[in-house]
């Protein structure tokens, strides 16, 4: 019998369902690492955008104020 959660997983991402069924616990590790990678990229992008706001003329207080 096919469970409803399996159908939902397949509708969301067939590869995710495949990994869950074939790799079991290992797929959770893969998903965790993928999520961590995405977060690292997002944080890096945010950091890069904020660095563009800084100019040489700014003093330390202004920089701290911009980042808060």
């Amino acid at each position: 019998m096919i469970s409803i959660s399996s159908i939902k997983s397949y509708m969301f991402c067939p590869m995710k369902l495949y990994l869950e069924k074939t790799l079991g616990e290992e797929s959770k590790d893969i998903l965790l690492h993928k999520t961590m990678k995405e977060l690292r990229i997002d944080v890096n992008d945010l950091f890069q955008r904020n660095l563009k706001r800084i100019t040489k003329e700014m003093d330390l207080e202004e920089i701290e104020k911009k980042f808060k």
Side-chain angles (χ1 to χ4, degrees):
M1 180 186 278
I2 299 173
S3 67
I4 293 176
S5 62
S6 295
I7 295 171
K8 287 181 180 180
S9 292
Y10 181 80
M11 290 174 64
F12 177 73
C13 178
M15 182 58 91
K16 180 182 177 210
L17 180 63
Y18 170 76
L19 291 173
E20 285 176 355
K21 297 299 179 185
T22 58
L23 299 177
E25 291 297 318
E26 292 178 24
S27 67
K28 291 180 183 178
D29 290 339
I30 292 170
L31 185 60
L32 175 66
H33 290 293
K34 182 179 176 188
T35 304
M36 288 173 55
K37 180 181 177 183
E38 290 171 354
L39 284 172
R40 182 182 53 82
I41 291 170
D42 290 343
V43 168
N44 192 21
D45 289 344
L46 183 63
F47 184 70
Q48 293 296 325
R49 270 189 275 142
N50 284 333
L51 281 178
K52 291 178 183 178
R53 296 180 185 174
I54 298 175
T55 62
K56 290 182 180 181
E57 295 80 28
M58 291 181 161
D59 61 354
L60 183 60
E61 292 173 2
E62 283 181 273
I63 294 171
E64 287 179 347
K65 194 164 133 183
K66 286 260 187 199
F67 285 119
K68 288 184 181 179

